[in-house]
Amino acid sequence: MAFISSRRGFLIGSALVGAGAAAFLANRFVGDDQFDPSTQAYLARCESQPSSLQAAALNALIVSLKGYGLWDKLDALWDLQAETPQRALLNIKDQKFNLTLEGNTTHRPGFGLRGDGSTGFLRTGIRPNAGDLVFTLQSAMIGVFCAINTNGGNSYALGAIDGNLRLKTRQVPAEAPSGFLNDEGAPLNGPPMSGLLPGLVILNREASYSVSVVKNGMRLVSETRPATQLMDDEILIGRAGSRFSEETYAFAFVGGGLDEGEMRAFNAVVRDYLIASMTPIVCFGDSLTQGVRNRGRSPLATTTSYPSQLEALQNRVVFNGGIGGQTSIQIRERAEPDNFMNAAVNIIWMGRNNYKDTDRVLADIESVANRVVGGRFAVLSILNGDYPPEHKDLDGYKIIMGLNDTLSKRYGDKYIDVRSQLLAAANPNDPGDMADIADDVPPRSLRSDQLHLNDAGDTVIAKTVSEFLKKKGW
């Protein structure tokens, strides 16, 4: 089984091996003839060499793709989150189809490449009807991993300027991934996604009559559609038609269509590589994770979220998996199927909206925690709010404290008591804060309402979680 290196360890299947083993394996292969010839050819084109662990991870990616018979089904594979802009533009598969930049674009190591939402995008040099491609009329695939999704609707990841070749990856619940792939008529539309989390989204045609939208190896929708024409227009990343994209893309690829088994294998191989290279964090939760925006209290307005602040502190991708109003049941339902995020570091903050159903909350948290690869997760304490039942020694307070006590005992050093950190950050010169402390409630100087945090409160959470991650070496 192929190994996948990481800045902090190696992923082998679903097991995380320590950094010492990672360094040993990486050092064994770097500068060694045991690198795959395709890896050596790619490295020879790099103006600066990746780190030993990154090189070993790349080699594992290539070896795994070849082992599954997928390497020859690709025309291009771009690692947009690579450590340097030059490497981000290189086609790993071939010397042809290196990316070129159009207009204002930005590269961020460990995150990816993005346009400017106006005229900045990436050119692939691939024209489908030019021939000599694995991408054909009846067998075709375009796909992307979106690391940061900040734009509004109607933004396309890959596509031609006009016509029937486009992949839309917008990930808000009200919208669906969609696209055209060698067919006329209306775009194929998948069902609305269950959450905000990005993933490996692919538009795939495995036969002249069948086209599908796939996310993280799972088909969201598949329809019988004839393949009618190959486009003459160049495939672009971050622009299609009159629509523009401000998303940051970490990975993109073009090639021939994959069957169901090949699609699962491709997803697993790319997932492991991106997890190893980007070492992302995912934060699952409700409105406390999502971040509650300004509710008319401008001095306490929330303009960020704790995940966005955590991303700045950690300088790596942090996915915000918070949706306001959701119970632990709804969060679990979103978290469990997302096999891409299973291998990331998980921060779990759930149960606030149904804390009275304590058995359900505990079971849902355990279910999410148990599916995290390598046990790299943290569980945050549930907050009480400035509501009379949740003041010190009253009924709601007792339920929440009991839940937190159980979580502390169950998860030990993977439990983070953020409630106590908020209390400790109260302003001793603020009478309102001191009144809250008397009620054992997080202080109002850190809140935007009776419960939700403002930017200062999110800062406390982000710093606490960041320190936890540093101590764990995650």
Side-chain angles (χ1 to χ4, degrees):
M1 185 178 295
F3 65 88
I4 303 292
S5 79
S6 165
R7 295 172 190 164
R8 296 164 174 80
F10 272 70
L11 291 172
I12 304 181
S14 61
L16 185 71
V17 181
F24 170 78
L25 288 170
N27 290 333
R28 178 184 174 190
F29 285 103
V30 170
D32 196 311
D33 291 340
Q34 294 184 62
F35 263 149
D36 185 272
S38 296
T39 307
Q40 295 181 41
Y42 166 80
L43 293 176
R45 292 187 285 133
C46 295
E47 293 177 356
S48 63
Q49 293 300 297
S51 67
S52 58
L53 291 179
Q54 291 290 92
L58 178 70
N59 188 62
L61 170 71
I62 292 171
V63 169
S64 295
L65 288 172
K66 288 185 176 183
Y68 283 114
L70 300 170
W71 182 252
D72 291 335
K73 295 204 169 191
L74 296 168
D75 290 301
L77 196 69
W78 300 285
D79 185 15
L80 306 177
Q81 60 84 46
E83 295 160 304
T84 68
Q86 190 261 345
R87 291 207 298 271
L89 298 175
L90 289 181
N91 177 7
I92 297 172
K93 172 71 190 306
D94 201 313
Q95 292 191 48
K96 296 181 296 182
F97 309 130
N98 295 328
L99 297 175
T100 57
L101 305 180
E102 182 78 19
N104 185 28
T105 56
T106 304
H107 173 258
R108 190 175 175 188
F111 290 78
L113 275 161
R114 60 168 288 180
D116 63 2
S118 179
T119 58
F121 53 92
L122 308 175
R123 292 190 173 277
T124 69
I126 297 176
R127 294 183 178 273
N129 73 351
D132 195 27
L133 294 172
V134 182
F135 183 110
T136 64
L137 177 64
Q138 298 182 1
S139 177
M141 170 181 67
I142 54 176
V144 68
F145 182 86
C146 179
I148 302 176
N149 197 331
T150 57
N151 199 22
N154 297 325
S155 58
Y156 284 84
L158 281 89
I161 290 179
D162 297 300
N164 62 2
L165 202 162
R166 289 184 281 178
L167 170 63
K168 174 181 169 184
T169 61
R170 184 61 181 158
Q171 319 245 351
V172 299
E175 294 190 43
S178 67
F180 302 86
L181 193 58
N182 298 344
D183 62 87
E184 296 178 333
L188 174 69
N189 289 298
M193 295 189 187
S194 60
L196 302 172
L197 293 176
L200 200 67
V201 183
I202 301 171
L203 191 60
N204 182 64
R205 179 179 286 283
E206 60 184 278
S208 61
Y209 53 84
S210 177
V211 64
S212 57
V213 175
V214 182
K215 181 186 178 187
N216 293 340
M218 298 183 293
R219 292 179 190 273
L220 300 181
V221 63
S222 183
E223 288 187 10
T224 299
R225 293 222 179 163
T228 57
Q229 62 177 316
L230 280 168
M231 295 305 300
D232 182 44
D233 294 302
E234 180 184 5
I235 297 176
L236 309 173
I237 300 176
R239 188 183 192 278
S242 60
R243 307 174 190 273
F244 298 87
S245 170
E246 290 180 307
E247 277 64 37
T248 299
Y249 299 110
F251 207 76
F253 42 90
V254 174
L258 305 180
D259 64 30
E260 192 164 345
E262 291 171 331
M263 187 65 72
R264 286 196 301 268
F266 184 78
N267 177 77
V269 171
V270 175
R271 173 201 65 202
D272 286 352
Y273 175 71
L274 289 178
I275 291 292
S277 297
M278 299 170 69
T279 61
I281 301 165
V282 57
C283 302
F284 282 112
D286 49 37
S287 56
L288 289 166
T289 296
Q290 182 182 7
V292 174
R293 296 299 178 255
N294 187 356
R295 292 187 169 184
R297 304 181 181 187
S298 56
L300 299 176
T302 300
T303 58
T304 61
S305 64
Y306 99 77
S308 67
Q309 294 198 37
L310 180 62
E311 182 172 278
L313 290 169
Q314 289 279 311
N315 193 31
R316 54 175 163 158
V317 172
V318 177
F319 300 117
N320 189 332
I323 296 182
Q326 289 201 334
T327 66
S328 65
I329 300 169
Q330 294 168 304
I331 298 167
R332 171 182 54 77
E333 289 173 347
R334 285 192 295 116
E336 288 189 331
D338 200 331
N339 62 4
F340 207 101
M341 293 299 106
N342 292 353
V345 174
N346 278 230
I347 309 299
I348 304 165
W349 201 7
M350 51 197 280
R352 166 63 217 183
N353 290 322
N354 60 322
Y355 71 81
K356 293 180 181 179
D357 190 359
T358 56
D359 290 343
R360 179 74 269 165
V361 169
L362 291 169
D364 290 336
I365 292 174
E366 184 173 13
S367 181
V368 174
N370 284 344
R371 58 97 180 116
V372 178
V373 172
R376 297 184 302 162
F377 68 86
V379 175
L380 306 191
S381 58
I382 297 170
L383 301 186
N384 58 320
D386 187 17
Y387 311 107
E390 297 177 14
H391 289 179
K392 188 174 183 179
D393 295 332
L394 298 180
D395 290 345
Y397 175 90
K398 290 178 181 178
I399 295 172
I400 292 172
M401 295 306 108
L403 260 173
N404 286 338
D405 184 60
T406 301
L407 292 173
S408 175
K409 292 175 180 175
R410 181 172 294 182
Y411 296 107
D413 65 352
K414 293 180 182 178
Y415 170 77
I416 306 178
D417 187 1
V418 292
R419 198 191 77 90
S420 292
Q421 293 296 317
L422 291 167
L423 291 167
N427 181 355
N429 298 316
D430 185 331
D433 275 16
M434 291 301 97
D436 291 331
I437 294 302
D439 291 326
D440 205 21
V441 172
R444 64 193 68 184
S445 66
L446 303 179
R447 292 188 273 113
S448 61
D449 56 24
Q450 290 172 290
L451 173 68
H452 298 97
L453 304 177
N454 57 26
D455 285 343
D458 282 335
T459 297
V460 173
I461 305 298
K463 287 183 176 179
T464 301
V465 173
S466 184
E467 287 302 315
F468 167 87
L469 295 173
K470 289 177 182 177
K471 289 179 181 178
K472 284 288 188 182
W474 293 349

